[in-house]
C-alpha cells in the first residue's frame, strides 16, 4: 500500500525533509500552521518571498518552496524594505525568532512598523536563544535560568506586541502553539492584510528553555505550562498588572488600515 | 492603489555642468540605470542622498532613508535581488556598519554599488585611510571591486562603470570617493544617453525546474532569475551548492569560495583600469589613486621641468590590485614611489609586487590634508640623490 502524502507536502521544497528542528520544537507546528493558511487561501507560493535571519525560526523558510533570503541576523526587515520597494506586488513573509526580531533587529522592527511597510512578520517566541544553546533573550521571563543567567534573569521581558502597537503596526496578534485554529485564522488575516502585520506565536523549546528554565525537557509538559499561563485579551483587561505578570495574553490586538510605505512616495489603499 | 509619480525629469542630464562631486555621483548612477537608493545621513555624503531623494522618484525610482546603514545596505541587497539596480552612499564611519551587508551581498552575488566618501575619523578632513577596509572589512572569503575617482568627471564616469561591473560580475562594487572631490565643484560633461555604455545582468533562459541559481563555470558568473516568476531559490549567507541549498560539504565549500573570489581575481586584467602619464621614458614612477593623482601629476611635471625622468601610474581600479600594470612599471623603472593620503597602506600592495624588481619609496601623509605637489617633488628629489 502506498503511504498517504500530506496534502501540504506540495509546498515543501524538494529534498528538504526531514527538517532539522529538535523533537518537540514548536517551529514544525508554525510551519504547518502557515502552510494551512496558505492552502486555505489558495495563495500562490511563487508570489511570496520568505525571509529568515539567523536562529531556529529563521530556518522555517528554508523548507518552503518560495524565494528565500536567509542567513544574516536581524536584518530581515531591511531586506524586505528593498524587495517591497522594487516589487510591491510580491507578498513578503518574515519568520523571525524573538532574538532576531526584538533584539538585534529591534530598530528595523520598530521603524518598519512605524512606516507601515507592507510585510507580514511571524515571530516565534521561544523565550530564549535556542540555536546558540539557550541564552537569555529580551523575551525571557524574569528570574528564569538560562545559560547566561545561571542565577536567574534580572531583566524585565519585552512585550513585543505592545512595542509593535506603539510603533504603529496595523495588524497585531498573539497566539501559542497550543492554539492551531486561532493561529491559522490569524495567519490568514495577516496574509490578506495590507500593511505591517505581526503575529507572535509563543512556542515551546524543550531542548533549552524547557530544560534550563523549567527543569523539564518534555514538550508535552511545556505545552501544558504555556497553556496554563495563557489568558485571553478580554480576561486580561479585568486583571491588574501584577496578576498579568508572566502570562501569555492572546488575541487579535490591532486590525486597522492606513497608508502603506512606498519609499519616497506614498500610495493610498483602494 | 494610486501611486503619486512624478516622471517629468530626464534620467540623463546631457550637457556641460559645473557640478558638485556628490551630485555627479547621483547623475552617474541615474545614467547607469539606478532605480533604488537607500542611505543614512552622514557628512560628507549627504548631498548624494539629498539629490537622490529629489531626482530618483522623478525618474520612476524609489528612495529610502534607512534607519541606519545596516538597513540601507540590506535594503539595497533586497532590491537588487528583486531586480533593481541599487546603490547606497556613506562615509567612513558609516562604512564600518555596512561591512556586514557587503559580506552578504558578496556571498549571494547581489550586484550593488556602495559609495564611500572617505573622511578622517569623525571629521570631514581629507583622507584615504579606508583603502584597506574597502576590501578587507567583512568576514569570510570574498573579493571586491573598488574604483578610485580623482575628479568630478571621474565621479560620474566611474559610478557608471561601477554599475556596469557590478552587473557583469554580480558583485558589490565600491566607488571610493573622498572629501576632496566629493565637495568640489568642477566641470562635468554628461554625454548623450545613447553614448553611455550600459551593462545589464544576464537573466536565465531556463525554466524554473532546470534552473540552478549558483551554477556557473569555474570562475564564472551565474545567471539571474526574475523574482516572483516561480524561480524559488534560497539566497543564504551560509555555504550553498549550485541549487542554492545550504551545504557544508568541504567540496561544495571549496568550489563556491574559489568561484566567488576567482570570478574577480581571474578576471583581474579585464576589470583593472589604469592610466599612465609621462611613463614612456620614466625611470622613477609614482603610483597614486584617487585625489592624490592630482598633486602627484603636478609633482611629475615639476620633476620633468628640472630634468628628472619621472612618470605617474594612476590606478582607477584599486581592488582587485592591477598587478599586471604595476609589475610592468616595476620592471621598467629604478624606483617606485607610493603616494597616498594615509600612514602608508596601499604601499604594502605595491611593494609586494615591486619586491626584487626595483627600489620603493613612500610619499604618505595623514594630516587631513591632501599632498602639495612640492611635498611629493621633495620625495622624488630625495630618491634621485
Amino acid at each position: 500500500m502506498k503511504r498517504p502524502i500530506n496534502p501540504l507536502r506540495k509546498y515543501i521544497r524538494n529534498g528538504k525533509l526531514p527538517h532539522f528542528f529538535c523533537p518537540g520544537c514548536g517551529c514544525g507546528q508554525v510551519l504547518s500552521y502557515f502552510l494551512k493558511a496558505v492552502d486555505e487561501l489558495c495563495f500562490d507560493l511563487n508570489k511570496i518571498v520568505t525571509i529568515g535571519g539567523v536562529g531556529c525560526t529563521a530556518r522555517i523558510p528554508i523548507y518552503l518552496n518560495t524565494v528565500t533570503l536567509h542567513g544574516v541576523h536581524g536584518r530581515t526587515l531591511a531586506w524586505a524594505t528593498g524587495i517591497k520597494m522594487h516589487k510591491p506586488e510580491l507578498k513578503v513573509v518574515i519568520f523571525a525568532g524573538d532574538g532576531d526580531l526584538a533584539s538585534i533587529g529591534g530598530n528595523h522592527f520598530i521603524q518598519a512598523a512605524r512606516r507601515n511597510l507592507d510585510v507580514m512578520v511571524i515571530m516565534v517566541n521561544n523565550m530564549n536563544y535556542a540555536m546558540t544553546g539557550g541564552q537569555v533573550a529580551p523575551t525571557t521571563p524574569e528570574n528564569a535560568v538560562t545559560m547566561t543567567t545561571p542565577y536567574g534573569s534580572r531583566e524585565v521581558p519585552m512585550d513585543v506586541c505592545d512595542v509593535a502597537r506603539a510603533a504603529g503596526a496595523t495588524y497585531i496578534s498573539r497566539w501559542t502553539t497550543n492554539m492551531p485554529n486561532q493561529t491559522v485564522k490569524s495567519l490568514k488575516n495577516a496574509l490578506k492584510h495590507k500593511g505591517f502585520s505581526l503575529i507572535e506565536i509563543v512556542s515551546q523549546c524543550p531542548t533549552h528553555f524547557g530544560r534550563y528554565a523549567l527543569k523539564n525537557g518534555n514538550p508535552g509538559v511545556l505545552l501544558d505550562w504555556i497553556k496554563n499561563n495563557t489568558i485571553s485579551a478580554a480576561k486580561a483587561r479585568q486583571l491588574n498588572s501584577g496578576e498579568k505578570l508572566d502570562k501569555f495574553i492572546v488575541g487579535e490586538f490591532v486590525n486597522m488600515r492606513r497608508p502603506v510605505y512606498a519609499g519616497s512616495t506614498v500610495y493610498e489603499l483602494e | 492603489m494610486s501611486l503619486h509619480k512624478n516622471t517629468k525629469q530626464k534620467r540623463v542630464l546631457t550637457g556641460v555642468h559645473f557640478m558638485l562631486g556628490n551630485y555627479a555621483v547621483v547623475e552617474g548612477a541615474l545614467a547607469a540605470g539606478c532605480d533604488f537608493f537607500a542611505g543614512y545621513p552622514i557628512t560628507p555624503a549627504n548631498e548624494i542622498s539629498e539629490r537622490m531623494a529629489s531626482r530618483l522618484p522623478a525618474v520612476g525610482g524609489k528612495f529610502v532613508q534607512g534607519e541606519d546603514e545596516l538597513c540601507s545596505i540590506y535594503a539595497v541587497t533586497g532590491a537588487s535581488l528583486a531586480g533593481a539596480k541599487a546603490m547606497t552612499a556613506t562615509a567612513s564611519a558609516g562604512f564600518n556598519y555596512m561591512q556586514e551587508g557587503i559580506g552578504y551581498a558578496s556571498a549571494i552575488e547581489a550586484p550593488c554599488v556602495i559609495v564611500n566618501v572617505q573622511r578622517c575619523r569623525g571629521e570631514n578632513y581629507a583622507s584615504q585611510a579606508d583603502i584597506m577596509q574597502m576590501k578587507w572589512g567583512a568576514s569570510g572569503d570574498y573579493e571586491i571591486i573598488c574604483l578610485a575617482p580623482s575628479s568630478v568627471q571621474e565621479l560620474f564616469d566611474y559610478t557608471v562603470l561601477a554599475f556596469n561591473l557590478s552587473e557583469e560580475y554580480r558583485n558589490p562594487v565600491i566607488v571610493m570617493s573622498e572629501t576632496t572631490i566629493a565637495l568640489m565643484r568642477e566641470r562635468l560633461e554628461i554625454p548623450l544617453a545613447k553614448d553611455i555604455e550600459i551593462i545589464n545582468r544576464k537573466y536565465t533562459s531556463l525554466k524554473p525546474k532546470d534552473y540552478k541559481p549558483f551554477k556557473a563555470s569555474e570562475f564564472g558568473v551565474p545567471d539571474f532569475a526574475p523574482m516572483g516568476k516561480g524561480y524559488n531559490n534560497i539566497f543564504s549567507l551560509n555555504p550553498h551548492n549550485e541549487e542554492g541549498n545550504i551545504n557544508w560539504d568541504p567540496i561544495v565549500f571549496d568550489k563556491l569560495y574559489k568561484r566567488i573570489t576567482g570570478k574577480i581575481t581571474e578576471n583581474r586584467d579585464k576589470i583593472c583600469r589604469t592610466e599612465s602619464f609621462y611613463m614612456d621614458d620614466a625611470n622613477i614612477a609614482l603610483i597614486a589613486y584617487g585625489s592624490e593623482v592630482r598633486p602627484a601629476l603636478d609633482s611629475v611635471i615639476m620633476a620633468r621641468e628640472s630634468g628628472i625622468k619621472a612618470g605617474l601610474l594612476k590606478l582607477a581600479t584599486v581592488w582587485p590590485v592591477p598587478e599586471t600594470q604595476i609589475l610592468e612599471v616595476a620592471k621598467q623603472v629604478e624606483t617606485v614611489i607610493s603616494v597616498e593620503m594615509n600612514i602608508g597602506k596601499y604601499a604594502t600592495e605595491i611593494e609586494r609586487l615591486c619586491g626584487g624588481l626595483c627600489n620603493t619609496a613612500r610619499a604618505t601623509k595623514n594630516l587631513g590634508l591632501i599632498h602639495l605637489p612640492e611635498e611629493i617633488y621633495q620625495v622624488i628629489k630625495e630618491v634621485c640623490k
Side-chain angles (χ1 to χ4, degrees), chain A residues 207-226:
Chain A
T207 308
H208 297 303
F209 190 77
R211 286 194 302 149
Y212 306 141
L214 304 174
K215 309 291 175 224
N216 197 319
N218 183 335
V221 173
L222 297 188
L223 280 165
D224 272 347
W225 175 77
I226 293 173

Side-chain angles (χ1 to χ4, degrees), chain A residues 97-106 123 125 127-129 135-142 153 155-160:
Chain A
D98 41 316
D100 208 7
L101 189 75
S103 189
I104 190 165
M123 188 188 92
N125 179 3
M127 290 159 278
N128 76 137
Y129 285 87
Q135 293 85 2
V136 69
T139 44
T140 305
E142 226 175 325
S153 170
E155 299 173 22
V156 177
M158 177 195 238
D159 185 324
V160 179

Side-chain angles (χ1 to χ4, degrees), chain B residues 307-326:
Chain B
I308 302 168
K309 285 184 178 169
L312 168 68
L313 180 72
K314 163 184 155 184
L315 308 180
T317 316
V318 282
W319 302 111
V321 180
E323 293 186 351
T324 315
Q325 294 91 327
I326 294 175

Side-chain angles (χ1 to χ4, degrees), chain B residues 1 102 115 161 330:
Chain B
M1 62 194 129
I102 293 169
V115 182
L161 179 62

Side-chain angles (χ1 to χ4, degrees), chain B residues 70-275:
Chain B
L70 286 154
C71 173
S72 306
I73 185 76
Y74 282 104
V76 160
T77 318
S80 170
L81 289 177
K85 282 192 174 180
M87 182 171 107
T88 181
T90 187
S92 300
F95 191 65
N96 292 343
Y97 305 120
M98 290 199 180
Q99 295 300 337
E100 188 194 299
I102 293 169
Y104 176 76
S106 317
I108 53 126
E109 300 172 71
C112 56
V113 174
I114 302 124
V115 182
N116 179 7
V117 186
Q118 293 174 95
R119 64 178 201 191
C120 283
R121 279 202 176 137
E123 274 298 340
N124 302 318
Y125 292 103
S127 173
Q128 291 179 329
D130 299 351
I131 177 76
M132 286 296 169
Q133 196 193 13
M134 300 288 165
K135 188 187 174 207
W136 304 109
S139 67
D141 278 340
Y142 72 107
E143 283 287 333
I144 223 79
I145 300 175
C146 177
L147 307 171
S150 67
S151 65
V152 171
Q153 182 67 49
E154 283 178 359
L155 278 167
F156 177 92
D157 296 342
Y158 291 8
T159 306
V160 176
L161 179 62
F163 272 95
N164 288 346
L165 288 169
S166 78
E167 295 281 314
E168 191 177 350
Y169 292 97
R170 272 190 73 168
N171 208 67
V173 177
I174 297 165
V175 177
M176 188 179 77
S177 181
E178 294 162 41
T179 310
T180 37
I181 47 171
L183 300 181
M184 176 196 283
R185 277 174 202 272
E186 242 181 3
R187 186 181 192 274
L188 168 67
E189 199 178 327
I190 300 181
L192 292 168
K194 66 175 176 61
D195 295 335
I196 299 171
E197 192 202 1
I198 303 291
I199 296 172
N200 291 319
R201 65 191 72 176
K202 216 174 134 224
Y203 279 97
T204 184
S205 52
L206 297 172
K207 293 213 163 61
K209 66 175 172 50
D210 304 318
Y211 171 71
K212 291 179 178 176
F214 295 100
K215 188 177 163 60
S217 60
E218 195 183 1
F219 301 120
V221 182
D223 288 348
F224 247 93
M227 196 180 259
K229 302 278 184 208
Y231 296 87
N232 295 336
N233 309 116
I234 307 171
F235 294 99
S236 178
L237 176 74
N238 298 6
H240 41 265
N241 57 17
E242 287 181 343
E243 288 82 16
N245 290 327
I246 297 168
N247 193 317
W248 298 95
D249 186 327
I251 297 164
V252 170
F253 208 93
D254 186 55
K255 200 176 162 197
L256 172 72
Y257 290 106
K258 279 196 175 137
R259 185 177 63 72
I260 61 173
T261 55
K263 72 178 179 184
I264 306 297
T265 51
E266 297 299 314
N267 290 310
R268 192 188 297 273
D269 289 343
K270 274 204 280 181
I271 295 168
C272 289
R273 282 150 174 88
T274 59
E275 214 177 321

